[in-house]
Amino acid sequence: MRFILQLAVFIAVLGLSYGQVPSLGKCPKVNVQQNFDINQYMGRWYEMQRFFAIFQISSDCVSADYQLQDSGLVRVNNTGYSKLKRGYTTAIGTAKIMDPNEPAKLGVKFFDGQPYGDYWVLSTDYKTYSVVWSCSEVFFRTFNTQFAWILTRDPAGISDSKRDELIKMMEDYGIKTKHFSRTNQSNCP
Ligand SMILES: *[C@@H]1O[C@H](CO)[C@@H](O)[C@H](O)[C@H]1NC(C)=O
Ligand SMILES: *[C@@H]1O[C@H](CO)[C@@H](O)[C@H](O)[C@H]1NC(C)=O
């Protein structure tokens, strides 16, 4: 019992330091976007909602630029306004389709030598919204850590009814959307 508790605390700290939300058990089963078209997905997205994450606690005005390279890899530019630093910070990374049979299951990484982390597009219409999800199982699949985002083409987001629909879809998969918080996209410097 004590061991489980210590393990739970450890996972919680580990999870939060990577900005992920820890849960007991395996990753929930989800469906991803059918016939995912990476070309239509490229360009600028704004972060509307994200799971609570320490490393982003002070970032407003977060956006991502995706650019398909000739190599087939995607260049990722994540930018956010840090209130602490009072300026924009940028992380450049690489994304790719891990298995051409399931093109909506991308991987992304920000450092050479780092393994690709999951970036699964659960649903997108390419023109207004995207639901992105990441889950990894740790400690012999006794725990999982999850991260989710709703990205939008318009910095003002999407309608409440559309957002509710997407949240319901995620809840039906067993994703705990109570961890979502809204990203401030107003009065960006
Ligand atoms: C990343 O995107 C931001 C916002 O569009 C831009 O200002 C910055 O120059 C880009 N950085 C790189 C290295 O591409
Ligand atoms: C949103 O973030 C920007 C940049 O930090 C800030 O200037 C603005 O006041 C914030 N808006 C709200 C409603 O918090």
Side-chain angles (χ1 to χ4, degrees):
M1 190 60 209
R2 193 160 159 194
F3 170 71
I4 297 287
L5 200 67
Q6 282 172 351
L7 191 64
V9 169
F10 176 70
I11 299 281
V13 170
L14 187 78
L16 285 178
S17 63
Y18 284 97
Q20 291 164 334
V21 174
S23 312
L24 264 173
K26 297 177 186 173
C27 290
K29 291 262 179 292
V30 298
N31 294 329
V32 294
Q33 176 64 47
Q34 291 298 295
N35 305 315
F36 179 71
D37 178 352
I38 197 163
N39 285 293
Q40 287 193 66
Y41 195 76
M42 296 297 96
R44 169 75 59 95
W45 289 97
Y46 295 90
E47 184 183 81
M48 178 182 171
Q49 310 229 234
R50 64 174 173 237
F51 271 20
F52 172 76
I54 294 280
F55 70 85
Q56 288 177 312
I57 203 161
S58 53
S59 281
D60 293 325
C61 308
V62 180
S63 64
D65 279 319
Y66 301 131
Q67 206 176 39
L68 192 57
Q69 316 284 111
D70 292 337
S71 61
L73 298 176
V74 176
R75 182 179 187 270
V76 177
N77 173 349
N78 282 352
T79 297
Y81 185 81
S82 159
K83 277 176 285 196
L84 289 176
K85 292 188 183 160
R86 299 187 184 215
Y88 282 94
T89 57
T90 288
I92 303 295
T94 304
K96 73 170 190 180
I97 293 172
M98 306 304 287
D99 172 1
N101 295 318
E102 290 187 291
K105 294 184 177 177
L106 294 117
V108 65
K109 65 176 182 179
F110 290 94
F111 303 100
D112 283 341
Q114 186 193 25
Y116 282 94
D118 286 347
Y119 178 116
W120 289 9
V121 180
L122 303 189
S123 178
T124 185
D125 67 353
Y126 307 100
K127 294 190 282 290
T128 61
Y129 75 88
S130 175
V131 178
V132 178
W133 188 64
S134 174
C135 185
S136 41
E137 291 168 342
V138 284
F139 283 102
F140 311 103
R141 314 178 88 192
T142 48
F143 283 86
N144 68 77
T145 60
Q146 300 186 29
F147 207 121
W149 298 264
I150 295 176
L151 306 178
T152 59
R153 290 292 193 188
D154 183 345
I158 44 175
S159 68
D160 288 352
S161 60
K162 188 68 198 178
R163 190 201 56 208
D164 291 349
E165 185 191 307
L166 299 176
I167 283 183
K168 179 170 185 317
M169 174 195 77
M170 299 174 88
E171 284 286 328
D172 289 347
Y173 290 144
I175 298 171
K176 298 196 181 65
T177 60
K178 66 174 184 210
H179 298 301
F180 265 140
S181 63
R182 180 92 187 224
T183 305
N184 164 18
Q185 295 282 3
S186 60
N187 303 317
C188 293

